[in-house]
Amino acid sequence: MVHRLLSERLIAPLSVPSAEPQRSTLIEAWKEILLKEEYGTPLPPPDTLFFDEKEPEKQDRNFCAGFALRYQVIACGTLCGRSFSFPFTVVLPKTEGKHPFFVCNNFQAELPNKYAPVEELIERGFGLLHVCYKDVTSDDGDFTNGIAGCLYPDGIRPTKDAPGKLAMWAWANMRLMDYALTLSCLDGAKGTVIGHSRLGKTALLTGLLDDRFAAIASNNAGCSGDALTRGKEGEHISNITTNFPYWFCENYKKYTDHSRLTFDQHLLLAALAPRLVMIGAAEEDIWADPNAQFLSCVAASAAWESYGVKGFVSPDRLPTAGDDFREGALCYHLRTGAHYLSRRDWNIYMDILSEKL
């Protein structure tokens, strides 16, 4: 059934060579298309980078009833010869050992918040590096502030494939990973980038650009993220390029009529193989379209199989609320409720990470 649905959406099964270098060449071609036509060319690494940590006396050593340490860090440096800085928060379990951790780009700066249940993360043994996306650059068409101002001091993107705001938020995620790798209490091989909605799209792009992340969690990312565009319900490219054209590169406007698409979002998922990828959907989130998210997983699965790794394993039917498909390295769950990054979603992601990483 699902393969018939893919055929109706004009999605051909992926054919991924199992041998190198043919496989790497193919995946690099997918990445080139996605970056040139949708997300924009990647930002360069910082010219200089350092981390300004708060003095020990300003650290919160009694956070979460004393089970965690919380403190703020300012990422500082230069990019394209211009200065930047943005704050982020670090929360670390006080238990001994090297901990898995999340890098979370979020809608709010304070912790805890409705999208980041910090106490549950600490109880499960996870660290958290948390940044508010608007502290990196604003969520609008102003390209003169924050990281955007380093790239475009006059506020004008010079080329059609110049990166938009999603690429800048992804760049910030990578700087948090830079910092995580300096901490002896964190296991650098067990870092997960997570995001919700537009920041779920950002998490996927982060994983595409930075293979230091062992896992990627994309929650309700939907259109131009983890959902197939062809045949999709709810949000479409035309909605994004009308309301949020600054998220993507200018080339993406060519696909407002999505019948012109020469690629689709399953290539983004496939390019993340063979790492652990977790897709979260919600039954009432028709704007994101849970079925299109599910079918994207089905269409991408062959990339994992080309590495000899189980990809997406599911019944031959569309998902129903309560489904949690985690047998392979490409996972999908569909919960009841609406568009939201809930504690139920976080617990599913932590369960999978504890099992598979």
Side-chain angles (χ1 to χ4, degrees):
M1 172 186 178
V2 294
H3 290 285
R4 174 180 58 79
L5 291 173
L6 288 173
S7 178
E8 290 173 357
R9 294 171 185 241
L10 305 179
I11 303 294
L14 289 180
S15 179
V16 188
S18 59
E20 298 289 356
Q22 294 95 331
R23 178 174 57 209
S24 293
T25 300
L26 179 61
I27 292 174
E28 285 302 314
W30 295 341
K31 290 172 65 174
E32 182 178 355
I33 291 169
L34 289 162
L35 295 174
K36 182 175 179 58
E37 299 298 319
E38 185 170 359
Y39 300 103
T41 55
L43 280 67
D47 310 321
T48 62
L49 177 66
F50 67 96
F51 299 102
D52 182 8
E53 299 170 325
K54 275 200 168 185
E55 296 88 345
E57 62 269 18
K58 293 184 179 179
Q59 296 178 352
D60 185 353
R61 295 184 173 273
N62 293 312
F63 190 60
C64 291
F67 294 111
L69 168 66
R70 176 180 64 177
Y71 61 97
Q72 189 177 79
V73 179
I74 310 293
C76 309
T78 54
L79 174 64
C80 300
R82 301 176 185 90
S83 298
F84 72 85
S85 67
F86 61 86
F88 61 94
T89 303
V90 180
V91 182
L92 303 172
K94 286 187 177 179
T95 50
E96 293 185 1
K98 296 178 78 68
H99 300 282
F101 62 94
F102 287 95
V103 166
C104 179
N105 212 317
N106 209 339
F107 296 99
Q108 299 171 311
E110 68 278 1
L111 283 176
N113 63 59
K114 66 180 183 178
Y115 294 115
V118 183
E119 193 163 0
E120 287 92 333
L121 297 177
I122 292 299
E123 287 179 351
R124 298 286 297 269
F126 287 86
L128 176 67
L129 289 83
H130 178 274
V131 62
C132 178
Y133 76 134
K134 288 185 180 179
D135 285 335
V136 177
T137 186
S138 60
D139 186 6
D140 56 28
D142 180 0
F143 281 93
T144 63
N145 66 82
I147 296 302
C150 293
L151 293 178
Y152 316 123
D154 60 1
I156 299 172
R157 289 189 280 178
T159 61
K160 295 292 186 182
D161 62 354
K165 296 295 181 80
L166 286 182
M168 297 172 198
W169 299 326
W171 187 89
N173 285 342
M174 292 186 273
R175 306 292 71 80
L176 269 61
M177 174 58 92
D178 291 337
Y179 181 76
L181 295 178
T182 71
L183 300 178
S184 60
C185 62
L186 297 183
D187 187 339
K190 294 185 177 181
T192 299
V193 60
I194 186 170
H196 168 65
S197 195
R198 70 199 64 181
L199 300 177
K201 307 181 210 302
T202 300
L204 292 166
L205 180 57
T206 304
L208 182 73
L209 298 173
D210 192 340
D211 61 10
R212 296 177 299 174
F213 288 96
I216 299 94
S218 170
N219 197 78
N220 297 181
C223 184
S224 307
D226 54 20
L228 289 177
T229 301
R230 296 184 182 92
K232 187 183 180 302
E233 294 185 31
E235 188 175 37
H236 273 283
I237 296 173
S238 58
N239 300 109
I240 285 180
T241 56
T242 298
N243 298 313
F244 310 105
Y246 45 86
W247 287 355
F248 298 90
C249 71
E250 292 283 341
N251 275 336
Y252 201 39
K253 293 179 180 178
K254 294 187 298 186
Y255 304 104
T256 296
D257 176 3
H258 61 268
S259 66
R260 298 182 60 197
L261 273 174
T262 56
F263 59 94
D264 214 318
Q265 295 305 122
H266 65 304
L267 296 185
L268 174 58
L269 299 187
L272 302 175
R275 287 174 291 166
L276 179 60
V277 176
M278 300 172 288
I279 304 299
E283 183 181 29
E284 297 173 23
D285 191 6
I286 303 305
W287 198 240
D289 191 349
N291 287 342
Q293 293 173 276
F294 171 84
L295 290 171
S296 188
C297 294
V298 175
S301 183
W304 277 263
E305 294 156 12
S306 73
Y307 288 93
V309 174
K310 276 188 180 180
F312 187 54
V313 181
S314 69
D316 186 23
R317 59 167 174 80
L318 290 175
T320 58
D323 280 338
D324 183 357
F325 303 130
R326 62 172 76 177
E327 183 177 338
L330 177 55
C331 309
Y332 170 98
H333 74 269
L334 176 61
R335 60 162 172 78
T336 56
H339 187 77
Y340 190 68
L341 177 51
S342 69
R343 279 158 173 75
R344 187 180 303 179
D345 298 310
W346 276 101
N347 280 317
I348 289 172
Y349 299 136
M350 287 190 283
D351 286 345
I352 293 171
L353 290 165
S354 298
E355 174 189 338
K356 294 182 178 289
L357 279 192

